Structures are given as C-alpha cells and as structure tokens.
Amino acid sequence: MNSFTAIFLAALAGSVALRLWLAWRQVSHVGKYREKVPASFASRIPLEDHHKAADYTRVNTRIGMVALLWDTLVLLGWTLGGGLDWLDGAWRGAALTPVVTGTAVILSAMVVGTLLDLPFSLYHTFVVEERFGFNRSTPALFVSDLLKQGLLLAIIGAPLIALALWIMQASGALWWLYVWAVWMGFTLVMFWAWPAVIAPLFNKFSPLDDAGLKLRIQALMDKCGFRSKGIFVMDGSRRSGHGNAYFTGFGNNKRIVFFDTLLESLEPAEIEAVLAHELGHFRLKHIQKRLLSTMALSLAALALLGWVAGQDWFYHGLGVSQPSTWMALLLFMLVLPVFTFILQPLLSRLSRKHEFEADAYAVAQSSGSDLAQALVKMYRENASTLTPDPLYSAWHDSHPPAPVRIERIYANMKA
Ligand SMILES: [Zn+2]
C-alpha cells in the first residue's frame, strides 16, 4: 500500500459513483416518461410498445448497476485483496520460463474473470431477454459459444500475449513502441479477417437472394461507388430477436451485413435507406478514422504502460508484491478503465457525429423519409427507449436518441 493506492481508490470510488448516478438518472427519467409516447412518435408507436421499451431499458440499467458493483468487488479482490498476487505465486511455483508463466497467469485471470461474469450473462440471456421475448438462444448454443470463445483465446490470444511478453522482456527501453506496432498489425489483420474468418464461426452469412431487392441495392451501390463482395444476410435470429445492420472489414473483405430479423420487418425502400446509411459510413471513411483514433489512443496507453511498468509503486500500490512484465500488462488492463471512464463522453460524441453524417449521406443518396420510417421500426422492435436521460445518453450512447436523430433527418431533407 502506498499513495498510489489512495489515488486508485479515489478514482475507483469517483467513477463508480458517477456511473451509478448516471444509471439512476436513466432509470428515473425513463420511468417519468413511461406513460406518454413522445408527440412526434405518437402515430407510429403504440403505448404498449412504449411501455415495453421503458421497462426493458429500466431492467437492463438496474442490472447494469448490480453488475457494476460486482465488477468493482472483483477488481478490488484481484488487486488489493491479493487475488493476482496469489495467482502469480501459484504459477511461479511451477517453475516455467518467464514468458510461459506470464502467459499462463494472464490467460487464467481472463478465464476466471469470464466465469465470474457468467451469472450476469446467463441472467441477461435466459431471464431478461426471455421475459421481453428477445431470446432465441438455447443453453446448448450458449455453451458452444463459450467454448468457441475459449478456443479462439487459446489459438489467437495466447500466442499474441506470449509475443508481447517476449518483446517486453527482450527489446530494451522502447519495448512499448514495438508492442504497439505488433498490436496495430494484429488489429489490422483481425479487421480484415474478421468478417470472412471469425464471424462465420458464430453465424451463418448468406448472400442476399431477393432478386428485386438485389437490383435495387446494386443500383444504389453503383451510384455510391461501392465495390464489395456484397451484401450478406446474417442469421441473427439464431440467438436473438434484435435486428441490426452493420458495415465491416476493409479492402476486398468489406461487406454490409443485415440481420435476417431486420430484413423481415423492413420494406425494400427502407432497406435501401438503411443501406445508404451504411454506405455513408464507408464513403465518409468512418472506419479509417476510427482506426486512426484507436491507433493514437493505444500508442498513448502503451507509452504510459512503458513508464508505469518500471515503477515499483505501481505494483505495490495495487497489491502485487513482485513486479513483472505480465503483472504490468494485467494490472494495466484491469485498472486503466477506472481512469479513462471520464473520456467516454468524447468517444460517444465522436460516434454520434458519424451517425449524423451517415444519416445525412443517406438522405442525399436515398430517401430521408424511408430512413426515418426504418429507424422507427428498429426502435420499436428492439424496445429501445425514445426518452433516455440526456446526460446518461451523452455519456454512453454511440447513436443519437431517436427523436434527435429523426428531427435531424427531416432538417436535412429540407436543406
Ligand atoms: Zn451508423
């Protein structure tokens, strides 16, 4: 224990209090507006659906508060409670090489962390999602997903961690720069490979086969100058009734993915408008921009890690008695979010800015009223609240609240 312990505890208490306060605001704000559909949606969203969205939002936010308290206890248990120190001692007892010991410590901490969070993901999937009619997953599918994730961790995660630890140990004072380069290379490869290699392990992707719709979509893609392996339909309905669409990958692997659940509920013109929004993300280079900001933030984080890894107070202040490369990495990953939560509104704001830009693009290339219509359907069917607390939303939401977003679409149509 030292003065860094006090700084850590103060930051942890501050971030937990802030998160709980924001969540409490969300719960009470959504409750306050539960009885009335906002005027601009009154003709399109029945009161019953508005109730469902409010209840769903409140339940999820409340569970999030419990999970936050649990995660805080777990973090304290790992650090000041001596959990990591114990795990480290146990693996050191096996007398393996430093890189192997370190990799084993990090992987076992990750596995234990996942198991400790399991009750929450089980409750979310099989109680909350079930109650609101969203769950389509089965216990067998849930277990097979977990096993696949474990396998990916072993095949991809383990060598990557071992490589990072080896660089930390072998490459001198600038190791953080080399680790950053490796990490960025890995991120780029994953970005490119994800849609074609990893995602198909969990879902089936089939080319869109509706001929009329395909023609319509091809025309829009030609107009927007988008060449890709195509539009894919994902069997999202395997796990959940929630619907979505997204743009992923780059180079020759870029593609647009629609959930089958979304396609079922949208008219062709609305699908075209949603596609135009996704093409907007592509045309406006949002993925590249996000990648660049990730690179800059990771570089800053690794430079910071490069410094704290050499400071004894960093380990001792967080309950670890024996400094090592792997403890530096592990402690840093566990503790950094406590200090960076304060930056969340900036990242959310950037994301919302991109959503507005993609909407404006869709209005110009396709139809604003079809886009608005599609959004209303998506909000209704996903039970997303139309009335989030403004502060909670500013902090957490990657997408603007529905009323703001749709109002902006109509403003763009007039402009
Ligand atoms: Zn978007």
Side-chain angles (χ1 to χ4, degrees):
M1 310 271 159
N2 54 31
S3 50
F4 184 59
T5 308
I7 294 173
F8 165 62
L9 287 176
L12 182 62
S15 80
V16 169
L18 182 57
R19 281 164 179 263
L20 287 177
W21 178 64
L22 288 169
W24 171 79
R25 283 182 59 111
Q26 173 81 335
V27 168
S28 54
H29 194 273
V30 170
K32 196 170 135 194
Y33 291 92
R34 184 179 183 275
E35 288 314 317
K36 199 167 172 294
V37 183
S40 51
F41 292 87
S43 59
R44 287 174 292 180
I45 296 207
L47 185 61
E48 191 191 337
D49 287 340
H50 184 64
H51 280 164
K52 180 180 171 187
D55 298 341
Y56 184 61
T57 305
R58 278 154 58 95
V59 166
N60 276 326
T61 312
R62 284 206 178 100
I63 294 171
M65 291 164 94
V66 179
L68 169 64
L69 291 174
W70 173 243
D71 288 343
T72 305
L73 281 180
V74 169
L75 176 59
L76 287 171
W78 277 132
T79 54
L80 304 179
L84 287 181
D85 219 27
W86 180 85
L87 191 64
D88 193 31
W91 278 109
R92 278 176 193 271
L96 306 160
T97 68
V99 168
V100 176
T101 306
T103 307
V105 171
I106 293 179
L107 285 181
S108 44
M110 287 169 93
V111 170
V112 172
T114 304
L115 293 178
L116 288 172
D117 270 336
L118 208 52
F120 288 98
S121 40
L122 282 169
Y123 187 80
H124 179 257
T125 304
F126 294 108
V127 178
V128 180
E129 295 290 284
E130 190 70 41
R131 191 196 306 163
F132 287 90
F134 289 125
N135 181 42
R136 309 261 172 89
S137 188
T138 59
L141 183 59
F142 191 89
V143 170
S144 100
D145 281 352
L146 265 184
L147 291 178
K148 281 182 199 164
Q149 285 159 11
L151 212 61
L152 283 177
L153 184 65
I155 296 172
I156 302 174
L160 189 69
I161 293 167
L163 178 60
L165 291 176
W166 179 76
I167 294 173
M168 289 173 85
Q169 177 187 310
S171 64
L174 283 180
W175 61 260
W176 53 272
L177 203 55
Y178 305 123
V179 170
W180 177 75
V182 166
W183 177 239
M184 286 306 106
F186 172 74
T187 307
L188 285 176
V189 169
M190 282 315 267
F191 225 79
W192 176 81
W194 190 273
V197 182
I198 312 279
L201 297 176
F202 294 91
N203 281 98
K204 219 175 21 230
F205 294 82
S206 28
L208 184 69
D209 62 2
D210 181 322
L213 190 55
K214 221 166 159 178
L215 229 59
R216 184 174 194 131
I217 282 174
Q218 197 55 51
L220 179 70
M221 295 207 309
D222 291 344
K223 184 171 151 194
C224 299
F226 183 82
R227 245 173 271 116
S228 92
K229 290 232 178 96
I231 312 288
F232 287 81
V233 182
M234 185 185 108
D235 60 344
S237 58
R238 264 188 93 191
R239 291 187 185 77
S240 137
H242 288 295
N244 207 347
Y246 65 90
F247 171 66
T248 178
F250 64 82
N252 57 359
N253 257 348
K254 63 178 181 293
R255 51 180 71 180
I256 284 167
V257 176
F258 281 98
F259 285 37
D260 53 357
T261 34
L262 183 67
L263 286 186
E264 272 164 32
S265 62
L266 297 186
E267 301 298 323
E270 295 163 351
I271 294 171
E272 184 194 306
V274 171
L275 174 66
H277 169 98
E278 298 303 329
L279 290 175
H281 283 309
F282 160 72
R283 285 308 306 187
L284 302 165
K285 300 201 183 313
H286 289 160
I287 294 216
Q288 286 95 322
K289 284 178 190 166
R290 206 173 312 157
L291 212 54
L292 278 178
S293 52
T294 307
M295 287 171 101
L297 288 173
S298 326
L299 183 61
L302 273 160
L304 181 63
L305 175 60
W307 176 62
V308 296
Q311 315 295 321
D312 278 347
W313 53 257
F314 176 64
Y315 304 90
H316 299 150
L318 295 172
V320 168
S321 54
Q322 211 167 341
S324 61
T325 49
W326 56 92
M327 275 302 155
L329 208 55
L330 198 47
L331 281 176
F332 194 70
M333 288 191 295
L334 282 173
V335 166
L336 190 65
V338 171
F339 294 93
T340 53
F341 178 63
I342 202 81
L343 300 175
Q344 187 61 43
L346 288 177
L347 300 175
S348 300
R349 197 193 150 101
L350 183 67
S351 168
R352 291 194 299 266
K353 180 171 170 272
H354 286 170
E355 293 307 324
F356 281 132
E357 289 172 6
D359 281 348
Y361 183 85
V363 170
Q365 300 295 331
S366 180
S367 150
S369 53
D370 285 327
L371 180 61
Q373 191 73 23
L375 286 173
V376 170
K377 281 189 183 174
M378 286 163 80
Y379 272 89
R380 192 178 66 216
E381 287 178 15
N382 286 323
S384 307
T385 180
L386 300 171
T387 57
D389 172 60
L391 204 56
Y392 178 93
S393 172
W395 212 284
H396 288 288
D397 285 350
S398 60
H399 288 64
V404 182
R405 194 170 169 188
I406 288 172
E407 198 179 303
R408 185 79 72 95
I409 289 173
Y410 286 130
N412 281 325
M413 285 164 69
K414 285 189 204 110

